[in-house]
Amino acid sequence: MKRVHTVQVVPKLPEKLAHLREIAMDMHWSWHPDAIDLFRRLDQDLWRAVDQNPVLMLARLSQSRLDKAARDGGFLSHLERVWLDFEVYRSEQTWYNSMYPDMENLHVAYFSAEFGLHESLPIYSGGLGILSGDHLKAASDLGVPLTGIGLMYQKGYFRQYLNADGWQQEKYPEIDVFHSPMKLVMTEDGSPLEVTVRVGSREVALHVWRVKIGRINLYLLDSNVLNNHYDDRRITEILYGGDSETRIRQEIVLGIGGIHALEAMGIKANVFHMNEGHSAFMALERIRRIMSDHSLSFEEAREAAIVSHGFTTHTPVPAGIDKFSQDLMEKYFGDYWPSLGLDRDSFMRLGGVIAGDKQTTFNMAIMAIGLSTYVNGVSNLHAQVSRQMWHQLWPM
């Protein structure tokens, strides 16, 4: 049987509008109203129809409309203004460089299960994602040397609608990666960068997508790789979709796979931030690597690692914290904890499991708190509530 190919025909961008594509491929436009107005000016109805996605918009605009814009002096003047502002933004002295000129070697790796950058990239569901997205935008504005690590959900989070009978329904919009502001990270030979992470009994291959956000990058891990097992391709399918087993698989990819991806790209971070407990397995992988590289015990490597770990908790109620059964932890980490020099009970205690009590669950927030030097909440009130929630971790 002959292989079927999909061919997409897109209009040719006139030379005078060439900067439009570069502006569209950098999420910098998403928090700059003049840039948003530039794209809206091309076709306001289409702009709304494509969820304000400028990359998709440029692919769907008619050739005649683009040619007309290339002859429109007012539009060309607007484009030049936006482009010059963008150029100045990328080249000007930043707050960070002026305040900390001697800290050129600092680099922060910011792990989060969701990033709310803009509605055209629906890889977020609520406050956690909006905050992490705003952190990346602020880091870009301030010039903070930061790299984001997340997951590339094929369908993102669901949207609600009412059917003909008035019942609430959900639909999962599939992200068109080739018409979104992202690019596959490639190797020197022109092939996609591929890293692997062990998830249960199989090695799972991951591709990495890069999203430009002004001065910084967000890297999204994608398990939808052709050679992966069908079940593994679906690990990064839906944000917060599926059961606890789906969740632990996603969190292994995010935390452990994220460390693998940073290493493969040559990004040498020395501060690691966990935005909520979803990425806490990252701390284990860092400890494991320090043990291996420097022939240290678990406790020695733990002390060396946690000074560079920070954790932000978002959830002010115990029911909202990620917890996994001991059976599930054994299934996915039974072959992993020996590499940490730990036995079962020692490993389980990292997540607050009480030895001999088979009903207690492995708590991701407890592990993240125990493997971090700096722990904070998202507000003063939330910090007070969190201290009450976790007071048992520091008995009098």
Side-chain angles (χ1 to χ4, degrees):
M1 181 181 293
K2 291 185 178 180
R3 188 173 181 179
V4 177
H5 296 270
T6 299
V7 178
Q8 297 185 357
V9 180
V10 297
K12 180 180 179 182
L13 202 61
E15 185 176 349
K16 290 183 178 180
L17 305 182
H19 290 319
L20 271 178
R21 192 174 304 282
E22 189 169 349
I23 295 170
M25 288 298 295
D26 192 315
M27 294 298 291
H28 171 270
W29 64 263
S30 67
W31 73 99
H32 289 81
D34 201 28
I36 295 172
D37 288 342
L38 176 69
F39 291 108
R40 184 186 292 120
R41 186 170 178 170
L42 283 168
D43 189 323
Q44 187 164 312
D45 292 335
L46 180 59
W47 179 246
R48 287 196 297 265
V50 298
D51 291 328
Q52 302 180 46
N53 178 347
V55 180
L56 181 57
M57 185 182 193
L58 292 178
R60 289 193 178 176
L61 277 168
S62 66
Q63 188 67 56
S64 61
R65 180 67 189 95
L66 288 171
D67 291 341
K68 182 179 179 181
R71 298 190 300 269
D72 184 337
F75 182 83
L76 294 177
S77 178
H78 191 172
L79 172 58
E80 182 179 10
R81 182 174 70 245
V82 171
W83 176 253
L84 288 176
D85 286 345
F86 186 36
E87 288 282 86
V88 169
Y89 180 88
R90 293 191 291 186
S91 60
E92 67 185 351
Q93 176 83 343
T94 68
W95 170 87
Y96 180 84
N97 287 336
S98 61
M99 293 293 293
Y100 303 101
D102 298 327
M103 296 186 66
E104 295 180 352
N105 293 327
L106 177 70
H107 198 100
V108 180
Y110 185 103
F111 286 70
S112 183
E114 46 177 300
F115 287 90
L117 297 166
H118 188 264
E119 64 186 80
S120 61
L121 193 58
I123 55 172
Y124 65 100
S125 68
L128 172 68
I130 296 301
L131 180 65
S132 56
D134 285 350
H135 277 164
L136 299 195
K137 294 173 185 178
S140 175
D141 283 348
L142 295 172
V144 176
L146 181 147
T147 294
I149 299 291
L151 298 179
M152 178 56 240
Y153 304 102
Q154 291 109 52
K155 295 184 178 178
Y157 204 62
F158 68 81
R159 295 185 180 181
Q160 298 172 330
Y161 69 98
L162 298 178
N163 65 15
D165 297 322
W167 290 98
Q168 178 181 295
Q169 304 289 312
E170 298 84 34
K171 63 178 179 180
Y172 289 87
E174 190 152 350
I175 297 174
D176 182 354
V177 293
F178 299 106
H179 288 138
S180 295
M182 64 178 71
K183 289 184 177 180
L184 267 177
V185 177
M186 311 298 281
T187 62
E188 292 182 357
D189 64 6
S191 59
L193 176 70
E194 190 171 291
V195 298
T196 61
V197 60
R198 189 165 188 82
V199 182
S201 60
R202 291 190 293 267
E203 292 288 332
V204 177
L206 306 171
H207 284 172
V208 185
W209 296 87
R210 185 185 73 170
V211 181
K212 288 287 295 177
I213 306 162
R215 299 184 178 98
I216 67 175
N217 294 312
L218 166 63
Y219 293 101
L220 302 174
L221 307 176
D222 184 3
S223 71
N224 188 21
V225 177
L226 187 60
N227 292 331
N228 280 339
H229 187 280
Y230 174 74
D231 290 340
D232 296 334
R233 294 183 65 176
R234 299 184 63 191
I235 292 175
T236 58
E237 183 178 31
I238 298 174
L239 171 62
Y240 301 145
D243 54 13
S244 293
E245 188 152 11
T246 300
R247 182 70 67 87
I248 196 173
R249 287 157 62 83
Q250 288 184 337
E251 296 185 7
I252 290 169
V253 168
L254 174 60
I256 299 177
I259 292 295
H260 293 188
L262 287 172
E263 181 181 52
M265 292 184 290
I267 298 173
K268 300 185 183 301
N270 41 31
V271 176
F272 297 81
H273 180 252
M274 294 170 274
N275 197 36
E276 196 52 277
H278 310 118
S279 55
F281 292 137
M282 172 276 294
L284 293 179
E285 181 64 9
R286 286 209 68 233
I287 291 170
R288 188 190 69 78
R289 285 168 178 258
I290 291 173
M291 291 176 63
S292 175
D293 293 344
H294 301 283
S295 300
L296 300 178
S297 69
F298 176 82
E299 286 301 326
E300 290 169 335
R302 176 182 177 276
E303 290 302 312
I306 66 172
V307 295
S308 59
H309 292 172
F311 170 60
T312 299
T313 175
H314 290 252
T315 311
V317 292
I321 302 296
D322 268 350
K323 301 170 189 166
F324 299 115
S325 70
Q326 295 180 44
D327 288 343
L328 207 55
M329 292 302 297
E330 284 188 4
K331 178 178 179 178
Y332 285 94
F333 285 89
D335 293 333
Y336 187 88
W337 65 60
S339 66
L340 296 172
L342 299 177
D343 58 24
R344 180 191 185 280
D345 288 347
S346 298
F347 179 83
M348 292 294 182
R349 276 199 299 271
L350 296 174
V353 173
I354 301 171
D357 184 352
K358 294 187 177 181
Q359 300 306 311
T360 55
T361 53
F362 192 97
N363 189 305
M364 295 295 285
I366 288 178
M367 182 174 71
I369 291 170
L371 298 181
S372 299
T373 294
Y374 185 79
V375 179
N376 70 335
V378 293
S379 69
N380 287 333
L381 178 59
H382 182 248
Q384 294 173 21
V385 174
S386 297
R387 281 193 288 269
Q388 295 172 4
M389 281 177 57
W390 307 117
H391 73 275
Q392 74 276 12
L393 300 181
W394 296 276
M396 297 296 290

